[in-house]
Amino acid sequence: MLSEKVILVTGGAKGMGQAHAQLLAAKGAIVVVADVDPKGEDVAQHIARSGGHAVFHLLDVVKEAQWVSVVAKVTQAYGRIDGLVNNAGVLIRKPAEELGEEDWDAVFDINVKGTFLGCKTVLPGMLKARNGSIVNISSISGLVANMPGMSAYCATKGAVRLFTKALAVDYARYNIRVNSLHPGTIRTPMTAEYEKDPEKLKMLLGTTILARLGEATEVSEALAFLLSDAASFITGSEMTVDGGFTAV
């Protein structure tokens, strides 16, 4: 499905990014685990020990020079980058009147600027190859205001959604597909505190009609499909993996 495709995953050191990297490698991809956290090296080594192919590169997604360096190194090593997964993201949950300017800037820098810089940096190689697939990880928070105190996060994920569509329009003629993926309530280290309290978990699940948290691998499977040639007629789309949260 993804055999020998070179795919760069940001935020790959933990959480959903780690799950994405592991599943993509299991499906045959050459995975570049990129993260500001050096523990991404452990993820790459675990994949290699499991029979997959992965390398780690230290990357702060808000630093353009680092993006240029990493993309150059990967391209030199493998000749191309077939897929990009802009997964790195942060969440600051505060009411708008309590948000500081530094909070707003931090969320937008990583969630939006980081996504922009990733796309900008890989696109020249994809243009040269006349081929490529980019998946920007948004959220159901880019579609609906799903929880209180999420104004900054919702704003960034909505921006990622429409940035994705604009890129799809610009680059379709070059056979470069760009889609956004919108996870719902997924079990990650960030949800652990909610799972300890039934009332908090109920609030987190909201209108999830499947009435459970999703698993990171369930998002990864959808991601793998969008990156693969099986999704060759899909671009500018928003795929939800949300247990039916946005169906209600």
Side-chain angles (χ1 to χ4, degrees):
M1 186 177 185
L2 295 172
S3 181
E4 300 301 309
K5 287 187 181 292
V6 180
I7 300 174
L8 192 157
V9 180
T10 67
K14 59 187 176 182
M16 281 202 287
Q18 179 178 352
H20 297 338
Q22 291 173 338
L23 186 134
L24 295 174
K27 291 181 179 294
I30 299 168
V31 178
V32 180
V33 179
D35 205 301
V36 71
D37 187 343
K39 290 182 180 178
E41 179 66 51
D42 296 335
V43 175
Q45 289 183 5
H46 174 76
I47 290 171
R49 288 194 298 271
S50 301
H53 189 154
V55 294
F56 171 69
H57 284 284
L58 199 65
L59 173 66
D60 183 342
V61 296
V62 304
K63 305 294 185 184
E64 184 169 9
Q66 291 189 24
W67 268 109
V68 171
S69 176
V70 169
V71 168
K73 289 175 182 176
V74 173
T75 303
Q76 183 177 23
Y78 302 106
R80 69 198 187 281
I81 294 176
D82 300 300
L84 169 65
V85 181
N86 279 308
N87 169 78
V90 294
L91 166 63
I92 295 178
R93 188 170 174 230
K94 293 181 182 179
E97 77 274 12
E98 296 178 13
L99 281 169
E101 186 176 349
E102 66 281 1
D103 295 326
W104 185 267
D105 288 346
V107 179
F108 266 83
D109 273 356
I110 295 175
N111 294 1
V112 182
K113 181 181 177 181
T115 297
F116 155 67
L117 289 176
C119 294
K120 176 186 176 181
T121 312
V122 302
L123 277 167
M126 291 182 175
L127 284 167
K128 185 178 180 180
R130 292 294 192 271
N131 186 61
S133 178
I134 296 172
V135 180
N136 295 323
I137 307 297
S138 180
S139 166
I140 54 170
S141 298
L143 300 169
V144 294
N146 57 306
M147 288 181 67
M150 300 276 278
S151 57
Y153 186 74
C154 286
T156 64
K157 292 304 185 179
V160 167
R161 171 178 171 265
L162 279 181
F163 176 62
T164 298
K165 291 181 181 296
L167 288 185
V169 171
D170 287 349
Y171 295 98
R173 63 186 181 274
Y174 303 109
N175 196 37
I176 297 170
R177 298 183 298 104
V178 193
N179 294 287
S180 58
L181 189 58
H182 298 255
T185 48
I186 307 301
R187 179 176 285 110
T188 69
M190 287 193 297
T191 65
E193 64 173 288
Y194 292 92
E195 293 186 76
K196 296 175 184 177
D197 185 326
E199 288 303 312
K200 285 185 177 181
L201 181 59
K202 182 179 179 181
M203 179 187 70
L204 185 66
L205 289 174
T207 59
T208 305
I209 59 179
L210 289 182
R212 66 171 176 85
L213 292 173
E215 300 297 334
T217 53
E218 293 177 304
V219 182
S220 301
E221 289 285 359
L223 172 65
F225 168 70
L226 288 175
L227 289 166
S228 76
D229 295 338
S232 57
F233 199 53
I234 300 176
T235 194
S237 295
E238 51 200 44
M239 179 179 286
T240 56
V241 184
D242 66 354
F245 186 104
T246 54
V248 178

